[in-house]
Amino acid sequence: MAAFTAVRAAVSFTQRFVRVSRDCSVCPLYRLNVCTGAAVDGFSAPNRRLPKRAGWVDLLLYSRVNVVFIDRSGQRIPVKARVGDNALHLAHKHGIELEGACEASLACSTCHVYVSSEHYEKLPEPEEREDDMLDMAPMLQENSRLSCQIILTPELDGMELTLPKVTRNFYVDGHVPKPH
Amino acid sequence: IWGSHICRVRGLSSSSGPRVCIVGGGPAGFYTAQQLLKARQDAAVDIYERLPVPFGLVRFGVAPDHPEVKNVINTFTQTAQHERCSFHGNVNVGKDVTIDELRQAYHAVVLSYGAEGNRSMGIPGEDLPGVFSAKDFVGWYNGLPSNKELHPDLSFETAVILGQGNVALDVARILLAPVEMLKETDITQNALEALAGSKVRRVLIVGRRGPLQIACTIKELREMVNLPNTRADMLPADFEGIAEALKDLPRPRKRLTELMMKAVKEGGDDKAEKCWGLRFFRSPVEVLAGADEKRAAGIRLALNKLEGSGESVRAEVTGQLEDVDCGLIISSIGYKSIPIDPAVPFDPRRAIVPNEMGRVQDTAGLYCSGWVKRGPTGVIATTMNDSFDTARVLIQDMEAGKLDLSVNKPGAQAITALLQTRGVRMVLFSQWEKINAEEEKRGKSLGKAREKLLDVDEMLCRAK
């Protein structure tokens, strides 16, 4: 509830602020990374997914993104997030067991998740470096992504991120070792 | 929590929770500790490490130009600084203190000491100057104290690396990378200077089997393909039949093979000064000495053919031989664990501590995690999951009563006292932080991430 109130206050602030200065870099919404760029007519919207002439109601609806994490035991953990949030950081904030060993630098695969299929389509294509790291993740599936590369947008509302059940005795490429 | 609750209810004299000892301060040790501390709010974990400095292969194995991979150090640092965890460096388990003494002082002991030995090629000439294990070569450029006097001679044009895993590719890349790429990393200064003066221009990376069996991962191969001022020099004959097999491959193998095929086709800039190539179906049979018989001047390779299919593809000799002139030979065919203490069972054939899901065979209260448990393959993430598995098994045993937690164990108190009487100078984590600060300071003056201390005595001096 507090988030909604805050958004409403922020929106009316922005509408007044923009009449004084159109410089995004001094606006608190931009600096807090909650700017959706659609507050006022005539603003160029940095987030192209929003309608250009959105009003404060749309902002209220669009800035909140609901995500469900499904942990390794199958437990569903619904989480309230915001547009622009990083899925791995979100997981850490809520105590979800995603290690993120390399701290989101595309040098490991420990933040591997399965994305609900209807939302998987809405994610931007992985860059080559992410695909290279995904190749190392055990139990890779069609809907696998590295959660450190998932940035929340309004159309990802309702997305479910499932943690792979990591089994014992697995190897990077599924190889079973031969005794030597 | 359950255990200590019972103790309070019954009034038993367990004034503290379970005490666990971990032998080895690398990724396996730290990840096992992390999981134990998280799962039991009453557990105290002590990590013993032979060197004064922690982090094992993250510090001494990961290539200097892969700093992001070393970000795990931040997680390990948090673990070491946890109020229920303590790090004890400069303690040689097996020499300064025995496993039995640790088992007496702790409810459980976890062996996470990795693989410090090396698989040998077992061929004549292997001991000639000019032949190194990849483990030692990597240790040299990464500042492992025992490799600081390696002084590899880099004045030869061709280097041959046996083995095609990620370690082999790291070595090839470090040998051929422009010095600009390395000079701001944490590579040791003497390695940097040696590489700046290196005459090595051609590196061959040789494997027993075929392209579909290559053990490296795509990231490392891509780095070779993209290496500035180098071109790929492959043998198209090695790739016969590979294009047809592509469509049936699982994604990771398919992408890796496609990248190799691209390197075969495109080769790279002809004007490039340096080149690297993969050579398949070749096994080393002899290191050839030069005319003076004093050092390696070449390597004799046996040509193989493949028999079998799928995972069980084997290399079989054909009888054909091939000689390659080279002055630097690096054997990258695997690390190997060694036994730590006669009291611990060891399987010399597989070179691991025999265990069932991390429980050491026939030895209650003794566990293992990481390479010493499964063998020396896999990346940090593999070891992470494995260590989490061992920790879970240990916790299960605690909760099932297989470990008697009602007995009070003195833990670090007793071991520290013992080590003191033996004149062993332990290095605590806060003291490592002084060494760390010194390394960063020295690095800064050289424009590098850090300049590692190469000498154990110097580390101990800085730790005061």
Side-chain angles (χ1 to χ4, degrees):
Chain A
M1 247 7 247
F4 282 106
T5 320
V7 169
R8 285 170 65 168
V11 167
S12 63
F13 172 87
T14 309
Q15 287 173 323
R16 281 173 291 158
F17 186 82
V18 75
R19 288 184 196 109
V20 176
S21 164
R22 280 174 176 248
D23 181 0
C24 285
S25 65
V26 303
C27 171
L29 281 190
Y30 177 80
R31 290 165 101 185
L32 288 170
N33 198 27
V34 298
C35 169
T36 53
V40 173
D41 295 352
F43 241 119
S44 67
N47 185 334
R48 298 273 168 223
R49 291 180 183 86
L50 284 177
K52 272 200 167 188
R53 294 167 69 101
W56 65 264
V57 176
D58 301 280
L59 258 168
L60 257 159
L61 295 171
Y62 282 120
S63 78
R64 165 63 49 77
V65 180
N66 294 298
V67 173
V68 178
F69 284 98
I70 300 169
D71 76 11
R72 297 184 208 279
S73 63
Q75 191 190 9
R76 294 175 64 87
I77 301 148
V79 153
K80 292 192 195 305
R82 300 246 224 87
V83 169
D85 279 351
N86 176 300
L88 176 63
H89 297 158
L90 188 65
H92 284 169
K93 210 163 89 173
H94 293 267
I96 312 249
E97 272 185 340
L98 273 175
E99 191 62 27
C102 75
E103 298 177 1
S105 58
L106 286 179
C108 80
S109 58
T110 59
C111 70
H112 171 213
V113 291
Y114 304 132
V115 182
S116 39
S117 39
E118 65 272 27
H119 300 96
Y120 179 80
E121 305 300 321
K122 302 196 172 116
L123 292 172
E125 285 286 308
E127 57 176 284
E128 190 176 71
R129 293 198 306 147
E130 181 184 345
D131 270 333
D132 285 354
M133 287 300 113
L134 271 172
D135 279 358
M136 317 242 283
M139 293 174 308
L140 194 64
Q141 288 177 179
E142 289 288 329
N143 60 338
S144 284
R145 289 298 300 261
L146 295 183
S147 54
C148 70
Q149 302 299 301
I150 298 176
I151 306 296
L152 297 184
T153 59
E155 67 221 331
L156 295 177
D157 187 44
M159 176 169 65
E160 300 193 343
L161 298 177
T162 305
L163 273 58
K165 290 185 186 23
V166 178
T167 57
R168 297 186 190 102
N169 299 324
F170 75 89
Y171 289 81
V172 160
D173 59 353
H175 159 78
V176 176
K178 296 186 291 294
H180 54 258
Chain B
I1 289 180
W2 177 240
S4 60
H5 173 74
I6 289 271
C7 288
R8 275 201 296 277
V9 165
R10 291 194 191 166
L12 288 173
S13 65
S14 174
S15 57
S16 55
R19 291 190 190 273
V20 181
C21 161
I22 296 182
V23 179
F30 274 100
Y31 275 130
T32 308
Q34 179 185 313
Q35 197 66 0
L36 288 170
L37 291 166
K38 190 168 118 177
R40 292 276 312 218
Q41 300 303 307
D42 58 346
V45 180
D46 296 329
I47 301 173
Y48 292 87
E49 161 59 44
R50 184 174 54 195
L51 285 171
V53 298
F55 311 136
L57 283 178
V58 176
R59 177 179 164 101
F60 296 116
V62 175
D65 59 339
H66 287 169
E68 334 73 32
V69 177
K70 302 191 201 194
N71 283 344
V72 288
I73 285 178
N74 298 331
T75 313
F76 298 162
T77 298
Q78 268 190 328
T79 299
Q81 290 172 338
H82 193 289
E83 56 173 359
R84 287 182 283 117
C85 182
S86 64
F87 171 83
H88 308 261
N90 200 42
V91 177
N92 189 331
V93 174
K95 187 164 111 11
D96 297 336
V97 61
T98 67
I99 292 288
D100 279 338
E101 285 166 339
L102 290 174
R103 287 176 68 208
Q104 277 169 40
Y106 289 92
H107 293 105
V109 175
V110 184
L111 303 172
S112 310
Y113 64 83
E116 70 187 71
N118 185 58
R119 268 185 86 198
S120 80
M121 291 190 281
I123 61 176
E126 191 165 5
D127 296 323
L128 282 170
V131 184
F132 301 98
S133 68
K135 177 186 79 68
D136 285 343
F137 195 80
V138 171
W140 168 72
Y141 63 65
N142 272 338
L144 187 61
S146 52
N147 293 134
K148 69 177 188 285
E149 305 295 340
L150 203 74
H151 302 301
D153 186 343
L154 304 179
S155 62
F156 301 92
E157 192 195 314
T158 301
V160 170
I161 302 174
L162 288 321
Q164 295 174 328
N166 284 340
V167 178
L169 263 67
D170 274 356
V171 170
R173 190 179 72 253
I174 296 296
L175 278 172
L176 294 178
V179 169
E180 294 71 56
M181 257 174 66
L182 299 174
K183 71 182 202 299
E184 288 174 11
T185 68
D186 62 6
I187 194 169
T188 61
Q189 194 62 20
N190 48 348
L192 188 63
E193 285 164 10
L195 289 165
S198 162
K199 300 277 191 299
V200 175
R201 296 287 175 269
R202 183 167 167 251
V203 177
L204 297 178
I205 308 166
V206 180
R208 283 178 302 134
R209 296 182 295 172
L212 295 180
Q213 286 76 42
I214 199 171
C216 65
T217 52
I218 194 169
K219 172 171 179 257
E220 281 71 15
L221 187 68
R222 204 183 289 288
E223 285 172 322
M224 288 310 295
V225 170
N226 293 338
L227 205 53
N229 201 22
T230 64
R231 61 178 174 83
D233 162 25
M234 313 281 220
L235 299 178
D238 281 352
F239 289 84
E240 259 169 56
I242 298 300
E244 293 72 30
L246 272 177
K247 60 181 176 1
D248 297 318
L249 297 172
R251 176 189 132 146
R253 179 60 67 188
K254 181 160 183 265
R255 290 180 79 241
L256 179 59
T257 311
E258 280 169 346
L259 182 59
M260 268 192 285
M261 304 286 294
K262 181 160 165 251
V264 177
K265 210 166 70 142
E266 289 172 18
D269 180 10
D270 278 330
K271 296 189 297 297
E273 229 180 76
K274 304 183 195 173
C275 78
W276 64 280
L278 300 170
R279 292 289 180 272
F280 295 97
F281 311 108
R282 288 154 167 86
S283 296
V285 292
E286 188 177 348
V287 174
L288 306 169
D292 60 0
E293 306 273 325
K294 290 226 179 78
R295 72 174 329 280
I299 188 158
R300 179 157 290 161
L301 304 170
L303 268 51
N304 302 323
K305 62 178 193 296
L306 294 187
E307 294 295 330
S309 61
E311 279 303 316
S312 59
V313 169
R314 299 180 313 279
E316 304 256 327
V317 290
T318 59
Q320 280 181 283
L321 296 172
E322 183 182 277
D323 286 355
V324 179
D325 290 336
C326 55
L328 180 63
I329 294 169
I330 298 183
S331 146
S332 182
I333 59 174
Y335 286 56
K336 196 160 91 168
S337 294
I338 59 175
I340 192 173
D341 188 302
V344 177
F346 192 79
D347 177 345
R349 191 178 61 89
R350 291 163 67 198
I352 58 168
V353 171
N355 69 93
E356 189 62 50
M357 302 205 308
R359 293 182 180 99
V360 175
Q361 217 170 65
D362 305 326
T363 323
L366 195 59
Y367 299 80
C368 52
S369 68
W371 281 7
V372 79
K373 167 186 170 194
R374 288 177 312 105
T377 59
V379 295
I380 294 173
T382 327
T383 291
M384 177 188 90
N385 285 303
D386 173 83
S387 302
F388 287 177
D389 280 347
T390 292
R392 267 191 282 269
V393 156
L394 213 173
I395 300 285
Q396 258 174 45
D397 286 356
M398 284 183 188
E399 288 168 0
K402 284 205 203 147
L403 293 169
D404 187 0
L405 299 180
S406 63
V407 177
N408 220 352
K409 291 282 190 178
Q413 234 184 345
I415 301 297
T416 306
L418 203 55
L419 291 170
Q420 252 172 6
T421 64
R422 293 174 184 171
V424 174
R425 255 200 67 201
M426 270 181 1
V427 173
L428 299 178
F429 202 76
S430 54
Q431 293 171 304
W432 143 248
E433 283 169 336
K434 291 190 194 157
I435 298 172
N436 185 36
E438 177 62 23
E439 290 184 344
E440 285 177 342
K441 180 164 149 242
R442 291 190 188 187
K444 199 147 175 227
S445 67
L446 292 164
K448 293 161 74 177
R450 76 172 55 236
E451 184 57 37
K452 291 176 187 165
L453 298 186
L454 300 182
D455 196 65
V456 170
D457 287 332
E458 206 182 352
M459 290 174 185
L460 293 175
C461 196
R462 287 285 154 189
K464 286 210 187 91

